[in-house]
Amino acid sequence: MTTDIIIINRNLRILDNAALYYGSLRSNYIVVYLYDENYWKANGKSSRQLKFSNDCLKELNEDLREVHSKINIFEGNFDDLKNWIHANYKDYFIHMNHCTDVGYFRDGFERFKNYFQKKIKIYDDFGLQLDNFDRDSWSKNWNHIMNKDVLGPPKISHNKDEIQLTDFKSYQAKLNSNLKHSKSIQKGGTSIANDLLETFLEHRCEGYRTKMSSPVLSEKTCSRLSPHFTYGSVSIRQVYQQLNKLLPLLNNKKDLYSFKKRLYWHCHFVQKLHTEPELEFNSMHRMCDDLRTEHDDEMIEKWITGKTGFPFLDACMKFLQTDGWINFRMRAMIMSFASYNMWQPWQKTSPLLARLFTDYEPGIHISQVQMQSGVTGINLPRIYSVTKQSMDQDPNAYWIKSLLPELKKFDPKIIHNANLNGSYLPKIVDLKASAKFARDRVWSIRKDKAFKEEAKLVYLKHGSRRKRKLTAN
Ligand SMILES: Cc1cc2nc3c(=O)[nH]c(=O)nc-3n(C[C@H](O)[C@H](O)[C@H](O)COP(=O)(O)OP(=O)(O)OC[C@H]3O[C@@H](n4cnc5c(N)ncnc54)[C@H](O)[C@@H]3O)c2cc1C
C-alpha cells in the first residue's frame, strides 16, 4: 500500500495545510519535519527564529495526536532525506507545500523536487502563485485564492510503519539546551496566533493606521502576526476570511482595510523573490549594484549593536535585540540609515538585520531592504531623518530613556539632535552631509536614459498593479 510522506517545513499548522490535508486522504501517511542545522545558519537565519518555529512545531505535534499521527524528525539536509526515502520506501508518494526561502533552502529543495519528479506533489502556500509570473493577472487572482475554502484537518492515520528517526522528545531536549532567549521574544504556535488575531480584531486595532508608526504604541496596536505568517502557524487565507466576516460588523473599518491591504502586500512581496530568486544577492535594478562598492565592517558593527551615537536609532536597535520585532517605520529608518547615511551595500547589512527579526521572511525582508536602499528603480528613494523620527515618534524621549537609561538626565531636544557632547557615544556620521551625498549619488544614476529603460522592465516584472481600494471581498 502506498505510504504518503508529508514533509513539513514552514507551514506549521493543522488547518488549511494543503500538503497535510491532501497527503492524508488515503489515511496511510507519515509526517516528517526536516531539521537541517545549516539551514538555521544560512543568510539571515538565526536561533530566535528556530525557537519560534519550534514552538509552532510542538503545538502541531500535539494537534496531530488527534488524528493518530505525530511529527518524525529527520536530521540532515534534503539530499540526506532523499537517500533515506529511497532506502526505506518502495511504494510512496511525497507531499510538500512550496516555500520561498533563501538560496541554501532553494538549492536543496530544487534538487529534491527534480529527483522525485512524478513521485512528489508541491502545493501552493503563503498566497503565492507558483507558475504565474504575469503581474497583471497575479493581482486579480489573489482575491480568488484568498476566498477559496479553508482546508480542514488531516484524516485519521492508520499508518503502522516502524520509523527509525529522531524521537520528538530527545530532539526537544537537545534543542532546548541550545536555545536560550530573552522572554520578550514572541512565542510561536497556532493558539497564540488565534489569540492575537482575536484581540487585534476585537480592540487592539483601534487607531492602527496612525499608531502603527510609533515604536511605543505599535507593540500593542499592530497585529503582531508576522512571525506566525512566516512559520505558517496560521494561514493568511484564514485570517483574510475571518477579517472579511467581521468587517461589516465593525466600526473601525478604515483601520482594518489598512490591515487587509498589508495581507496583500505580504504575498506581493514574497512573490517578487519567487519570481526572481537572484534578488537575494542582486539589486532589483542591476545598475544600482555599482553604487556602493565598498563596506566598512567597524561602522556596520556599531549600527547593528546600537552604538551609532544617535540615541533614537540606538534605542530601536536595543529594542530589536531584546524583542526580536520592531514596527515598519523603524525598520525603514534603520535600513535607510545604513544604506544612505552610512552608504553601506545592503547585501552586507541585510542579513545582520534579518537575524534579529523573529519574523524574518526573505521575500518581504529582501524586497523592503532594497526599497529602503533606493535600489529597486521603481520606488522613489526616501531618506528618513533620524532626528525628525525621534521628535515625531518619541517627543518627550521617554521611550529612548527607558532603553538608554544613561540619558535620563538630558533634555529631549538634546537627545533628538544627538548633541550630547562627550556624554554619549560619538556620532558615526554627519546626518545632513551624508544624506546630501547619498541623494546626489542616487539621483545622478536615476537621470540616466539607460537607467529609465531598465526601470520599465523592472516595473513589468515586479511592480504592484493594485491601484484600486481593496473591497470587502
Ligand atoms: C527593512 C524592512 C524589513 C522587513 N522585514 C520583514 C520580514 O522579514 N518579515 C515580515 O513579515 N515583514 C517585514 N517587514 C515588513 C513590516 O515591517 C512587518 O511585516 C511588520 O512590522 C510586522 O508586524 P505586524 O505583524 O504587527 O504587522 P501588521 O502591521 O499588523 O501587518 C500585518 C501583516 O501584513 C504584512 N505586512 C505588513 N507590512 C508589510 C509591508 N510593508 N510589506 C509586506 N508585508 C507587510 C505582514 O505579514 C504583517 O504581519 C520589513 C519592513 C522593512 C522596512
Side-chain angles (χ1 to χ4, degrees), residues 9-12 38-53 56 99-106 126 185-186 224-233 266 269-270 273 277-282 304 320 323-326 331 335 346-370:
N9 159 49
R10 282 218 268 130
N11 336 80
L12 302 169
N38 291 325
Y39 167 75
W40 293 103
K41 293 176 191 151
N43 202 2
K45 300 280 168 183
S46 63
S47 63
R48 56 180 57 183
Q49 298 154 17
L50 170 60
K51 161 94 177 52
F52 185 94
S53 79
C56 304
C99 175
T100 299
D101 213 318
V102 294
Y104 179 82
F105 175 89
R106 207 171 43 242
F126 295 102
I185 296 215
Q186 282 182 262
R224 307 302 307 274
L225 283 167
S226 53
H228 295 279
F229 290 142
T230 299
Y231 290 98
S233 41
H266 179 110
F269 276 97
V270 178
L273 187 62
E278 298 77 16
L279 292 181
E280 186 179 347
F281 308 108
N282 297 116
I304 201 71
L320 190 52
D323 283 49
W325 179 90
I326 199 157
R331 293 187 198 205
M335 205 53 226
W346 64 267
Q347 289 92 333
K348 291 284 174 197
T349 50
S350 166
L352 300 177
L353 193 58
R355 288 176 60 78
L356 296 179
F357 293 155
T358 313
D359 64 19
Y360 175 40
E361 172 59 78
I364 302 180
H365 182 77
I366 290 161
S367 309
Q368 277 292 347
V369 157
Q370 293 204 23

Side-chain angles (χ1 to χ4, degrees), residues 165-176:
L165 287 180
T166 310
D167 163 69
F168 200 76
K169 263 197 188 149
S170 45
Y171 169 72
Q172 288 305 327
K174 183 173 114 177
L175 218 57
N176 286 340

Side-chain angles (χ1 to χ4, degrees), residues 124-164:
D124 290 10
D125 199 14
F126 295 102
L128 282 195
Q129 298 170 39
L130 294 186
D131 302 319
N132 186 5
F133 297 100
D134 166 34
R135 273 292 170 165
D136 293 315
S137 58
W138 191 91
S139 187
K140 286 181 198 134
N141 288 348
W142 188 78
N143 270 339
H144 174 67
I145 293 172
M146 289 297 130
N147 282 314
K148 277 188 180 168
D149 288 345
V150 165
L151 296 168
K155 306 283 169 214
I156 294 208
S157 172
H158 298 299
N159 182 276
K160 298 272 181 288
D161 292 355
E162 289 288 326
I163 302 166
Q164 304 296 325

Side-chain angles (χ1 to χ4, degrees), residues 17 23 38 47 55 94 98 109 121 123 146 178 191 194 234 238 289 336 362 411 437:
N17 186 330
N38 291 325
S47 63
D55 293 341
I94 304 168
H98 173 85
F109 185 40
K121 165 95 178 135
Y123 302 87
M146 289 297 130
N178 294 326
S191 40
N194 288 337
V234 67
Q238 246 179 298
D289 277 334
S336 155
D411 185 78
F437 170 82

Side-chain angles (χ1 to χ4, degrees), residues 186 200 204 208 212 218-219 221-230 236 258-270 325-336 353-354 357-372 384:
Q186 282 182 262
F200 176 71
R204 287 195 298 113
Y208 175 70
M212 71 165 75
S218 56
E219 203 184 347
T221 324
C222 278
S223 72
R224 307 302 307 274
L225 283 167
S226 53
H228 295 279
F229 290 142
T230 299
I236 293 195
S258 281
F259 174 65
K260 189 169 171 176
K261 207 159 55 179
R262 280 163 176 76
L263 298 181
Y264 171 83
W265 289 354
H266 179 110
C267 307
H268 167 73
F269 276 97
V270 178
W325 179 90
I326 199 157
N327 63 334
F328 173 82
R329 176 73 64 95
M330 299 307 107
R331 293 187 198 205
M333 180 194 74
I334 289 168
M335 205 53 226
S336 155
L353 193 58
F357 293 155
T358 313
D359 64 19
Y360 175 40
E361 172 59 78
I364 302 180
H365 182 77
I366 290 161
S367 309
Q368 277 292 347
V369 157
Q370 293 204 23
M371 266 174 86
Q372 309 308 335
Y384 285 81

Side-chain angles (χ1 to χ4, degrees), residues 264-443:
Y264 171 83
W265 289 354
H266 179 110
C267 307
H268 167 73
F269 276 97
V270 178
Q271 187 80 33
K272 291 183 198 228
L273 187 62
H274 173 67
T275 305
E276 192 178 358
E278 298 77 16
L279 292 181
E280 186 179 347
F281 308 108
N282 297 116
S283 295
M284 211 172 271
H285 195 303
R286 296 294 193 271
M287 282 171 76
C288 294
D289 277 334
D290 300 331
L291 277 174
R292 304 163 177 101
T293 49
E294 284 168 16
H295 74 278
D296 179 338
D297 284 330
E298 209 179 306
M299 195 186 241
I300 293 176
E301 179 66 14
K302 286 184 179 159
W303 166 76
I304 201 71
T305 52
K307 295 189 176 112
T308 64
F310 294 93
F312 187 58
L313 193 110
D314 293 348
C316 287
M317 283 307 200
K318 295 258 145 74
F319 182 79
L320 190 52
Q321 300 273 358
T322 49
D323 283 49
W325 179 90
I326 199 157
N327 63 334
F328 173 82
R329 176 73 64 95
M330 299 307 107
R331 293 187 198 205
M333 180 194 74
I334 289 168
M335 205 53 226
S336 155
F337 185 85
S339 294
Y340 293 118
N341 300 103
M342 286 163 47
W343 201 247
Q344 297 300 305
W346 64 267
Q347 289 92 333
K348 291 284 174 197
T349 50
S350 166
L352 300 177
L353 193 58
R355 288 176 60 78
L356 296 179
F357 293 155
T358 313
D359 64 19
Y360 175 40
E361 172 59 78
I364 302 180
H365 182 77
I366 290 161
S367 309
Q368 277 292 347
V369 157
Q370 293 204 23
M371 266 174 86
Q372 309 308 335
S373 308
V375 298
T376 65
I378 54 173
N379 306 98
L380 276 182
R382 173 172 182 185
I383 305 179
Y384 285 81
S385 156
V386 174
T387 312
K388 183 176 183 316
Q389 291 303 320
S390 185
M391 289 191 292
D392 289 354
Q393 307 303 341
D394 190 21
N396 298 317
Y398 293 148
W399 187 72
I400 300 174
K401 289 180 184 183
S402 73
L403 288 146
L404 303 172
E406 66 269 38
L407 299 182
K408 267 207 165 93
K409 64 175 195 289
F410 290 97
D411 185 78
K413 210 167 160 199
I414 293 176
I415 295 179
H416 298 316
N417 289 301
N419 281 337
L420 291 140
N421 298 331
S423 303
Y424 186 58
L425 300 165
K427 293 183 256 189
I428 60 170
V429 291
D430 177 303
L431 268 194
K432 276 198 178 146
S434 59
K436 181 177 179 331
F437 170 82
R439 206 172 293 117
D440 291 348
R441 289 295 309 275
V442 169
W443 281 103

